[in-house]
Amino acid sequence: MSPTPPLAPDAAAQRALMRTMLLIRAVEKAWGDAYLGEEISGIPPSLSTGQEGIAAGACAALGDGDVVFTTHRGQAAAVARGLAPPRILAELYCRRTGYNKGKSYHVTDVSRGVIGMGGIVPAQVPVAGGMALAQKMRGTDRVSLAFFGDGASNEGAVHETANLAAMWTLPLVLVCENNRYCITQRDTDAVKAPSIAARAAGYGLPGVVVDGSDVLAVQAAVAEAVARARSGGGATFIEAQCERLTGHLIHDTQGYRSKEELDAAWLHCPIKRFGERLQREGVLSAAELARMTDEVNAEVATAVDWARAQPFPEPHEAYEDLWA
């Protein structure tokens, strides 16, 4: 039996989605600015600019006790799951009060269902499948959701996990964020199927293509997949198609894309599109949206100041919290 289609979010929920997307972008911009300003070093930030609607919509469809697994663009999901921006930024600034005690930008908070990032593409996907198996074996109705990119969709770990999820009817939602580029390679050069989600038929799973720039469409698609998983119907493969508006990493100037292509891509900005929709439907006025944006930017600026003031871990702490 097909799950009942989810109800459309009310006005308050839509405003909350708007705020979540603004907060994602502001937190990530602060991270990128800190790197470019040489306040932090290490692996250059990979921002999810243009993909905020996927994290916000997908996480809004989850409940307490559900878990998400992310890749190197995992800050968006962390924000969308309600993690505190000051502690996220403290982690990115490598400070002891961060979520991982300043030892990794792979932000993790098990209490909020954020298991953390996989540094190897797409290492987090089979772990998400394992969590889904554990949830099923425990007899819970909890759901496991894995985010991964279009490039990762070509890796064997995704295929193996999807096949096992079908075999074992696991409560797993696979969300492919197809932002059109795997670093510099266009998705159409790497995937010759009609869509990435079309591959789901080969696993015996439902495959869904959704406009990843439409936060409500993403929420509805994931909510239906979650309902199916909770009712024992098994896994779903969702491809959320969007436009990557910034480079693969913060220092990537995207010289491989024309100005015309980038200009057209910005027309699909999920924040711009949803803001216009909310104003058109009378949910949020232009003045209210501007005020919300200012409040979010002020919140993140305060979070940055707090993160900068936090202590670094002591050298001996490098040997703590190690598990084998």
Side-chain angles (χ1 to χ4, degrees), residues 5 56 71 78-79 90 94 99 107 135 176 182 194 201 213 221 243 262 264 282:
T71 182
V79 172
C94 302
Y99 277 101
V107 175
Q135 289 161 326
C176 176
C182 175
S213 298
E243 295 286 345
L262 285 169

Side-chain angles (χ1 to χ4, degrees), residues 11-84:
Q14 291 184 55
R15 287 191 289 269
L17 285 169
M18 185 76 243
R19 194 181 193 285
T20 296
M21 289 195 291
L22 290 169
L23 190 58
I24 290 169
R25 185 164 294 184
V27 167
E28 291 200 327
K29 183 180 185 302
W31 183 29
D33 289 347
Y35 184 87
L36 294 175
E38 299 184 348
E39 288 189 82
I40 59 175
S41 59
I43 300 174
S46 48
L47 310 185
S48 57
T49 313
Q51 301 173 222
E52 296 91 347
I54 300 174
C59 290
L62 299 174
D64 293 339
D66 294 331
V67 290
V68 298
F69 293 78
T70 64
T71 182
H72 49 279
R73 299 184 199 277
Q75 285 69 34
V79 172
R81 284 295 276 172
L83 272 63

Side-chain angles (χ1 to χ4, degrees), residues 118-189:
I120 299 173
V121 179
Q124 76 283 5
V125 177
V127 184
M131 177 64 80
L133 176 60
Q135 289 161 326
K136 180 176 181 178
M137 292 176 69
R138 291 170 182 155
T140 77
D141 67 349
R142 297 298 89 192
V143 172
S144 182
L145 185 149
F147 292 103
F148 56 95
D150 49 287
S153 73
N154 290 324
E155 295 282 345
V158 171
H159 303 298
E160 293 164 1
T161 303
N163 192 59
L164 288 171
M167 286 171 56
W168 297 335
T169 319
L170 298 183
L172 177 66
V173 181
L174 296 164
V175 178
C176 176
E177 299 183 77
N178 182 3
N179 64 15
R180 308 298 186 185
Y181 278 92
C182 175
I183 308 180
T184 62
Q185 184 182 48
R186 186 72 182 182
D187 62 334
T188 50
D189 293 332

